[in-house]
Amino acid sequence: MKEQETTFQERIDRGEIIEPRDWMPEKYRNTNIRQIAQHAHSEIVGMLPEGNWITRAPSLRRKVALLAKVQDEAGHGLYLYSAAETLGISRDELVEQLHAGKAKYSSIFNYPTLSWADIGAIGWLVDGAAIVNQVMLTRTSYGPYARAMVRICKEESFHQRQGYEIMLTLCRGTEVQKQMAQDALNRWWWPSLMMFGPPDAQSTHTEQSMKWRIKRKTNDELRQYFVDMTVPQAEVLGITIPDLELKWNEETKHYDFGEIDWDEFWQVVKGNGPCNKQRLNARVTAWENGAWVREAAVAHAEKLAKKELAEAV
């Protein structure tokens, strides 16, 4: 086993891609399952805050764009569940873990969307943060995950531009509309920074994931990149990031920013956020109400298979 692990690490160090039938340490397999599943669950649960606004979008154009975005998120979840299945775990098992509260998803989706500006802030900040993280994952060491991320990143870039355009429209509108945008930024800024996970010093997975090249950048590195990217965008919008400690550091060539409320982060992760119970209940209800669709699809597939077998005979 030790020799196999050494050979495996040498392949990783050479930058080789690991495929489903390749030998891999069980911990590598489980780490990928955990990360891919958490990502898939986040895409599925992430449909809920925005789906809430489809019927209330301010124009037909906005409605169509939001519908397309929510549909994309569903597709992302399916890509990722498929990638996780190549590691030997079933989709049903993954869904059961989510519904039982055993599996995690991104903490950001446990916050409410209170106004239409929130949809813009989610697109700009949440999808912007997702892109920063996910572009790195197009070069992750596990092949099915990396390939799924290529298409996902292309679609996420559309989502980010859509959100920023909503914010720009609001900021160029009336004073009330601009204040809506500012209020949304105030509420979504810090949760967006939490999306990258705990600080490196507190992360239990980062070091090993970096060694296996499952992750290419640490949580803190990705968070810093996101801040550096987003501050100039806020300046263009003419709204203020809610951080009194935010300032450009000439020595590091990065923005310094204030301390994140990690107590809040861990409370949300543990299930005590504003919408944790609401989100999970919505997913469980949707799964139960959709049971007849899954059963009908299986019955139809079995009928077709029997027909094809009979014709072959």
Side-chain angles (χ1 to χ4, degrees), residues 170-189:
L170 291 170
C171 289
R172 290 178 174 176
T174 66
E175 187 59 32
V176 172
Q177 289 173 320
K178 187 172 183 179
Q179 284 305 311
M180 283 176 58
Q182 180 66 64
D183 176 64
L185 172 58
N186 292 346
R187 287 182 288 104
W188 289 93
W189 174 252

Side-chain angles (χ1 to χ4, degrees), residues 55-115:
T55 58
R56 295 181 287 166
S59 69
L60 181 59
R61 172 175 174 266
R62 297 296 190 193
K63 188 187 297 291
V64 170
L66 187 56
L67 274 166
K69 182 183 180 184
V70 172
Q71 177 178 276
D72 286 347
E73 306 295 0
H76 298 172
L78 297 181
Y79 302 153
L80 293 164
Y81 283 135
S82 295
E85 285 178 314
T86 66
L87 290 159
I89 188 169
S90 71
R91 190 172 308 194
D92 284 348
E93 187 176 351
L94 293 172
V95 173
E96 286 173 7
Q97 290 174 358
L98 173 64
H99 293 173
K102 296 179 180 178
K104 304 298 183 184
Y105 55 87
S106 179
S107 60
I108 193 75
F109 299 119
N110 290 310
Y111 291 86
T113 45
L114 304 180
S115 75

